[in-house]
Amino acid sequence: MATKNQSLGEFIIENQNDFQYSSGELSRLINSIRLAAKMVNHEVNKAGLVDITGSAGEINTQGEDQQKLDVFANDTFIRTLTKRQIVCGIASEENDDFITIEGQRNDHGNKYVVAMDPLDGSSNIDVNVSVGTIFSIYRRITPVGTPVQLEDFLQPGNMQVAAGYIIYGTSTMLVYTTGNGVNGFTLNPSLGTYYLSHPNMTFPDDGNIYSVNEGNYSHFPQGVKDYIKYCQTEEGDRPYTSRYIGSLVSDIHRNMIKGGIYMYPRSSKAKEGKLRLLYECNPMAFIAEQAGGSASDGHERILDLKPTELHQRVPFFCGSKNMVAKAEEFMTKYPR
Ligand code: P6P
């Protein structure tokens, strides 16, 4: 549970069970993410006014045109996490390989690794559409005090100790879980404090919003085509409403509040879909399940998938559990 600290005007985490590691290191880690989010928010909010939108002229590990705000966000989160001496390694969408943080803290050493997408949906920046940061936190599995290894990052999503996102929208929110439900905090930019505006967020079991890029319809597997047609058929509470922003954090955030399903299926153009398992699907799946929703690749629970590489892509179906179950029903009629 979180309660309001009258003097700070900010909601603090009251029950240390929210942070399973009594050393408070995880809470300090999340506090460093809160700080970095404020800094990124400041730049995102003035993107149209200064020379920080548009391409940085670089191409990232995904072969995508790197936006200047992407670079700023990546640098900001890495710098903030490194300075606090809390994590021993960081994997980012913007970096080909993971980063090892040298210099262990004397007492415990750094026992956490972070996987993140520092600015997801960045192609929306120039058209003033909401973007987000997504993060996933694990305890390392290699010995504390030794250099972090790839295996520290290739843990299944069910080993996450925390996950969350920041949505830079009409207001900026930090939404995260440490395994005890999901809480949403809204940033008051004038005070630089976060308020518990959405306590105990829950995915409605049902919804009437489906989110998918229907421009790819002809390339989808037949089961996905059948489910989309099911959503569009006049029957019972259908047709559903189609809502797709092209910004994962925005689409999932809206669907968690209103009820709905987000889909990024595999297709003939993208054999394993587009979204990355480590820093998009796993954190969003952890949040969805903690909020009572579900997330799968169409057949398997996302959180049970064993990653094989840092930037691995998987098909992604996430949202209201009865809607995900119905979509899976259509897809399991056909061979994978
Ligand atoms: P498409 C943004 O690039 C992203 O990773 C997600 O935020 C978003 O949901 C998806 O890709 C949009 O992809 O192919 O529909 O433009």
Side-chain angles (χ1 to χ4, degrees):
M1 269 307 281
T3 56
K4 183 178 174 93
N5 176 311
Q6 298 291 354
S7 59
L8 288 179
E10 183 168 354
F11 285 84
I12 57 175
I13 300 298
E14 175 188 55
N15 173 355
Q16 278 308 316
N17 287 335
D18 285 347
F19 298 99
Q20 299 153 16
Y21 308 100
S22 58
S23 62
E25 284 182 324
L26 185 57
S27 56
R28 285 180 52 237
L29 203 173
I30 290 184
N31 279 333
S32 62
I33 288 175
R34 291 150 80 118
L35 172 62
K38 291 183 204 176
M39 297 156 77
V40 172
N41 175 65
H42 183 65
E43 294 305 317
V44 166
N45 274 347
K46 62 181 186 182
L49 300 176
V50 296
D51 178 26
I52 198 160
T53 57
S55 168
E58 304 287 327
I59 301 293
N60 72 11
T61 187
Q62 317 297 326
E64 294 167 347
D65 189 17
Q66 234 179 2
Q67 301 283 334
K68 286 180 182 174
L69 261 177
D70 268 346
V71 176
F72 174 81
N74 196 42
D75 294 348
T76 300
F77 276 94
I78 289 172
R79 192 172 57 249
T80 310
L81 287 167
T82 302
K83 202 159 55 177
R84 292 283 184 96
Q85 279 286 313
I86 304 169
V87 302
C88 56
I90 301 170
S92 169
E93 186 212 25
E94 300 299 336
N95 298 83
D96 294 1
D97 203 351
F98 61 86
I99 297 166
T100 301
I101 313 294
E102 300 305 338
Q104 308 296 342
R105 283 184 47 223
N106 307 331
D107 43 2
H108 302 288
N110 303 350
K111 52 174 173 277
Y112 296 109
V113 296
V114 175
M116 67 174 182
D117 184 351
L119 205 64
D120 181 73
S122 54
S123 57
N124 292 304
I125 293 167
D126 288 348
V127 294
N128 210 358
V129 167
S130 302
V131 292
T133 297
I134 311 171
F135 63 90
S136 172
I137 303 170
Y138 293 86
R139 286 171 73 88
R140 68 181 301 177
I141 49 180
T142 53
V144 171
T146 64
V148 67
Q149 303 296 323
L150 179 60
E151 63 187 291
D152 288 309
F153 296 96
L154 299 186
Q155 300 181 54
N158 57 38
M159 295 298 287
Q160 291 174 95
V161 293
Y165 60 81
I166 298 102
I167 178 169
Y168 308 99
T170 45
S171 61
T172 292
M173 280 190 70
L174 167 62
V175 177
Y176 70 88
T177 180
T178 59
N180 295 283
V182 178
N183 286 308
F185 296 81
T186 298
L187 176 65
N188 178 337
S190 52
L191 295 177
T193 51
Y194 289 89
Y195 288 80
L196 179 62
S197 52
H198 297 65
N200 304 315
M201 296 180 78
T202 53
F203 245 117
D205 290 347
D206 292 290
N208 66 357
I209 295 173
Y210 71 101
S211 306
V212 65
N213 184 339
E214 294 190 60
N216 297 324
Y217 180 85
S218 61
H219 302 285
F220 287 149
Q222 190 55 47
V224 174
K225 289 180 179 176
D226 293 352
Y227 178 65
I228 291 174
K229 284 303 167 205
Y230 168 84
C231 293
Q232 296 168 342
T233 302
E234 187 86 34
E235 187 181 75
D237 60 348
R238 287 169 286 123
Y240 295 150
T241 296
S242 174
R243 286 284 184 275
Y244 189 71
I245 299 172
S247 171
L248 175 67
V249 169
S250 307
D251 280 315
I252 298 257
H253 185 74
R254 177 204 54 241
N255 291 353
M256 182 154 58
I257 292 170
K258 292 181 178 284
I261 182 171
Y262 172 94
M263 299 179 277
Y264 209 104
R266 62 165 49 92
S267 70
S268 52
K269 292 194 308 182
K271 297 295 182 207
E272 290 309 315
K274 174 182 180 183
L275 300 188
R276 281 53 61 112
L277 177 57
L278 258 66
Y279 40 78
E280 289 175 319
C281 302
N282 270 335
M284 295 314 254
F286 189 21
I287 289 168
E289 289 198 3
Q290 283 291 312
S294 65
S296 82
D297 65 359
H299 300 268
E300 310 289 335
R301 179 181 179 235
I302 288 287
L303 295 182
D304 290 338
L305 299 178
K306 175 69 177 75
T308 53
E309 54 184 73
L310 277 184
H311 302 291
Q312 170 181 358
R313 300 175 193 267
V314 293
F316 192 52
F317 300 79
C318 177
S320 295
K321 64 182 179 185
N322 295 341
M323 297 181 82
V324 174
K326 178 59 81 174
E328 288 171 345
E329 203 180 289
F330 280 95
M331 285 181 281
T332 45
K333 284 178 186 163
Y334 300 90
R336 291 194 72 150

